[in-house]
Amino acid sequence: MSHILVTGANGFVGRALCRALVDGGHAVTGVVRHAGGFIDGVQEWAAGGNNFSDLAGAWPQGLNPDCVVHLAARVHVLRDEAANPYAAFRATNVEGALRVAQAVHRNGTRRFVFVSSIKAVAETDSGCPLREDDPAFPQDAYGRSKFEAEQALIRFGSETGLDVVIVRPPLVYGPEVRANFLRLMDSVWKGVPLPLAAVGARRSLVYVDNLADALVHCATDPRATNKCFHVADSNDPTVTELARALGKHLQKPARLFPLPTSWLRLAGRMTHRSPQVERLIGDLRVDTTRIRAVLGWYPPYSTDDGLAATARWYRSTH
């Protein structure tokens, strides 16, 4: 079995990944800025410093992981209060990621798995599911920072021989989810009428335990060497289907009514929320052919399984 080092190990995806690795018999070291929040079986390393600035110097003697999975990131936020959002995203997502890659290469690690985002490629699919080799047109500071990080890491890997594997998930959901997905659940739970009954856009999602399983494969399978993979659940629900499925599992039927997409776009312009509206009414499907063909990976859980688990967690907190 392998020894895997995980940055951001006590975060939403990090905890699911550490659990999957431990359950698979792997040794796991979790790197975080602040101690605590680990699952049983994970060796903790609280590495201080801003954006991993002192990671190389603080590297523990005898720590020789086979692979590092880099999850730590500045994530997409709806109301960014940074004076220069792109500079803030770049400092963490580009410069921080590169520092981690440099530190692990210096200490002899062979593989670096970078968890990027489908937003590094696009916000919508323009009629065809997004493939790994599609031209990248990131639309916001977060997406641009992830794409720039990918390019910097690929260059570093080609110069040093470090095996860089890139994984691009779409929206990740599951127990303890936050942001827009949690807001949708809140609205369904409270019975808020939602103008989503006529939205036919299909959006790829990935259940957090499916993503964790894919990352285990990317960290340990020799066939993943220097490749980029898109990861998602097996089906792409419409926004309407997603809301109704959440209502079913929350045992609070979603209250949906139809509103033309042109009206939704107008409402977005009037409220200065056009990007959020476009994410609701535009298709964003992810092609997962490559990871299935190369690694033989298929999601172990259905979307309905994932939504049911997420709803159980939500109900337990309300």
Side-chain angles (χ1 to χ4, degrees):
M1 292 298 174
S2 300
H3 181 185
I4 312 297
L5 187 146
V6 180
T7 70
N10 57 4
F12 172 47
V13 178
R15 288 173 60 83
L17 173 58
C18 288
R19 189 179 304 109
L21 288 166
V22 170
D23 289 348
H26 301 284
V28 185
T29 299
V31 183
V32 293
R33 290 185 64 183
H34 305 290
F38 284 93
I39 67 165
D40 292 341
V42 175
Q43 178 68 40
E44 179 180 296
W45 176 16
N50 189 35
N51 295 324
F52 301 102
S53 57
D54 61 354
L55 189 70
W59 196 273
Q61 186 174 4
L63 177 61
N64 302 112
D66 301 294
C67 174
V68 171
V69 180
H70 184 56
L71 283 164
R74 187 174 194 265
V75 299
H76 175 69
V77 293
L78 291 178
R79 295 180 180 85
D80 200 328
E81 298 180 356
N84 185 337
Y86 181 64
F89 278 117
R90 192 180 187 284
T92 299
N93 297 348
V94 182
E95 296 168 8
L98 194 55
R99 289 192 192 104
V100 176
Q102 291 166 343
V104 301
H105 172 66
R106 184 181 304 173
N107 284 276
T109 300
R110 299 188 298 273
R111 176 170 289 182
F112 183 89
V113 177
F114 177 63
V115 182
S116 183
S117 167
I118 200 62
K119 288 171 71 69
V121 184
E123 294 283 355
T124 59
D125 64 33
S126 301
C128 294
L130 295 172
R131 295 167 52 89
E132 291 85 352
D133 55 359
D134 283 340
F137 296 104
Q139 298 297 304
D140 62 10
Y142 171 72
R144 291 195 298 272
S145 72
K146 284 293 192 177
F147 178 69
E148 187 177 346
E150 291 180 8
Q151 299 306 299
L153 291 167
I154 290 169
R155 287 194 298 270
F156 181 75
S158 66
E159 293 166 359
T160 62
L162 179 66
D163 172 13
V164 175
V165 181
I166 294 169
V167 179
R168 294 175 180 153
L171 186 151
V172 185
Y173 69 96
E176 300 182 17
V177 68
R178 295 290 181 265
N180 283 337
F181 201 94
L182 180 59
R183 292 179 184 181
L184 176 59
M185 295 178 74
D186 286 337
S187 296
V188 172
W189 179 262
K190 295 173 183 176
V192 176
L194 300 170
L196 304 178
V199 178
R202 293 196 173 273
R203 310 285 295 188
S204 290
L205 311 168
V206 63
Y207 176 42
V208 67
D209 285 355
N210 284 339
L211 176 57
D213 188 74
L215 291 174
V216 172
H217 281 72
C218 290
T220 60
D221 193 323
R223 296 173 295 180
T225 298
N226 290 320
K227 290 185 173 61
C228 175
F229 296 110
H230 288 177
V231 176
D233 289 352
S234 294
N235 66 307
D236 306 322
T238 68
V239 175
T240 304
E241 291 168 347
L242 175 62
R244 287 178 173 154
L246 283 172
K248 178 187 74 172
H249 290 299
L250 289 171
Q251 300 171 9
K252 301 269 190 175
R255 299 180 62 191
L256 308 181
F257 65 93
L259 200 65
T261 55
S262 60
W263 291 22
L264 290 171
R265 284 195 169 95
L266 177 61
R269 289 194 295 270
M270 292 177 65
T271 59
H272 306 289
R273 296 172 66 95
S274 289
Q276 292 92 322
V277 171
E278 290 301 323
R279 282 194 285 271
L280 273 177
I281 64 178
D283 290 298
L284 181 59
R285 296 163 297 167
V286 172
D287 188 322
T288 59
T289 302
R290 178 181 288 177
I291 193 168
R292 296 170 190 248
V294 175
L295 302 185
W297 180 83
Y298 291 84
Y301 302 96
S302 70
T303 301
D304 198 62
D305 292 334
L307 294 177
T310 309
R312 283 195 298 272
W313 159 77
Y314 186 94
R315 293 199 313 270
S316 73
T317 64
H318 287 74

